[in-house]
């Protein structure tokens, strides 16, 4: 029997673009309280002015560019998925989008500097490129899918940026069906065990915690 090839991240995001129309959680869920990602939204709203030049790392299908971009002087964004970028250009036609993985040479027309670099559950590799992209006294804002993402403070220390604040938010959630639970575990790179479902799932489905880790940092004066 032929061994099944593991789907690459780029292939997975391309499939999400085709099947779901964007970079969205592909499972149903119910939350018992406010979405823990609201902290990121509020901080981002407070940081934006008509003069702010923004770079978004891992923009997906462009929802933040469409929602927040009109407030900024410029909203530039990149992603490594051509399928997601195609959707993003339609979602937010006034933003600038680039095909880039954040690790190779910066595209020539992705010209900074930027006053604010943001990443919503996107790549942390952009942190190592902040010295090349950021304006003096720039800010970096990140939200991750767990209560702590250790490479974020570690990489900020490497590039010499100061953490202004860290927030951890958690809310009880339920995955209503076994299929949703399987999808959620696959997404989070965790094992979905039928025995856990049988023992813990109730009328609302499988309980779990939706967790977010938010970091705001700034570039120190040179």
């Amino acid at each position: 029997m032929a061994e099944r090839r593991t789907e690459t991240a780029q292939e997975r995001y391309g499939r999400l673009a085709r099947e779901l129309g964007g970079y969205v959680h592909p499972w149903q869920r119910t939350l018992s309280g406010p979405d823990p990602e609201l902290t990121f939204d509020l901080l981002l709203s407070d940081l934006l002015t008509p003069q702010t030049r923004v770079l978004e790392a891992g923009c997906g299908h462009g929802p933040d560019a469409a929602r927040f971009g009109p407030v900024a002087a410029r909203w530039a964004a990149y992603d490594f998925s051509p399928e997601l970028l195609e959707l993003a250009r339609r979602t937010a036609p006034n933003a600038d989008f680039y095909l880039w993985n954040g690790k190779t040479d910066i595209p020539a027309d992705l010209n900074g500097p930027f006053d604010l670099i943001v990443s919503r559950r996107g790549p942390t590799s952009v942190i190592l490129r902040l010295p090349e992209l950021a304006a003096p006294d720039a800010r970096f804002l990140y939200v991750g899918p767990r209560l702590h993402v250790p490479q974020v403070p570690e990489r900020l220390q490497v590039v010499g940026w100061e953490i202004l604040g860290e927030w951890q938010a958690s809310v009880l959630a339920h995955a209503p069906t076994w299929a949703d639970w399987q999808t959620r575990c696959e997404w989070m790179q965790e094992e979905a065990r039928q025995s856990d479902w049988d023992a813990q799932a109730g009328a609302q489905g499988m309980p779990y915690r939706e967790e977010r880790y938010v970091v705001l940092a700034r570039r120190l004066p040179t």
Side-chain angles (χ1 to χ4, degrees):
M1 180 181 295
E3 183 177 347
R4 183 180 178 183
R5 185 177 67 87
T6 302
E7 186 180 41
T8 67
Q10 189 171 32
E11 290 170 339
R12 178 158 63 106
Y13 294 138
R15 177 168 54 83
L16 290 177
R18 295 188 300 272
E19 296 177 1
L20 300 178
Y23 175 65
V24 294
H25 286 164
W27 71 91
Q28 297 297 313
R29 63 176 185 173
T30 58
L31 300 178
S32 64
D35 190 322
E37 216 152 287
L38 288 176
T39 302
F40 177 90
D41 292 346
L42 293 172
L43 288 167
L44 178 53
S45 296
D46 286 344
L47 290 166
L48 291 175
T49 73
Q51 292 76 44
T52 308
R53 299 162 295 180
V54 180
L55 174 64
E56 181 184 5
C59 62
H61 61 289
D64 281 344
R67 179 181 175 187
F68 297 103
V71 182
R74 179 191 179 197
W75 192 284
Y78 72 85
D79 204 284
F80 72 172
S81 168
E83 294 92 340
L84 287 175
L85 285 176
E86 183 179 350
L87 294 173
R89 293 186 177 101
R90 297 201 297 265
T91 302
N94 294 323
D96 303 323
F97 294 100
Y98 303 87
L99 181 65
W100 188 41
N101 63 6
K103 300 176 182 179
T104 57
D105 291 342
I106 299 171
D109 50 351
L110 183 60
N111 54 323
F114 296 96
D115 307 298
L116 176 63
I117 298 92
V118 301
S119 179
R120 185 191 293 271
R121 288 177 279 112
T124 61
S125 56
V126 69
I127 299 173
L128 299 178
R129 312 305 296 269
L130 290 178
E132 304 163 78
L133 296 165
D137 202 30
R139 299 292 190 268
F140 172 71
L141 180 62
Y142 171 85
V143 59
R146 301 182 187 277
L147 282 183
H148 190 54
V149 183
Q151 63 263 37
V152 173
E154 290 170 2
R155 291 178 177 183
L156 286 169
Q157 184 177 25
V158 167
V159 298
W161 279 48
E162 177 187 19
I163 293 179
L164 298 175
E166 294 178 276
W167 296 264
Q168 294 177 315
S170 177
V171 64
L172 178 65
H174 288 84
T177 69
W178 167 243
D180 288 311
W181 180 242
Q182 286 180 298
T183 304
R184 182 262 172 195
C185 289
E186 179 184 3
W187 182 277
M188 297 297 293
Q189 297 181 333
E190 299 173 358
E191 182 182 359
R193 292 185 288 266
Q194 183 70 56
S195 58
D196 291 340
W197 175 270
D198 293 340
Q200 300 176 39
Q204 298 182 71
M206 184 69 160
Y208 70 99
R209 307 296 300 189
E210 276 286 341
E211 301 172 343
R212 295 294 184 271
Y213 171 61
V214 180
V215 175
L216 176 63
R218 70 164 181 168
R219 182 174 190 170
L220 293 172
T222 56

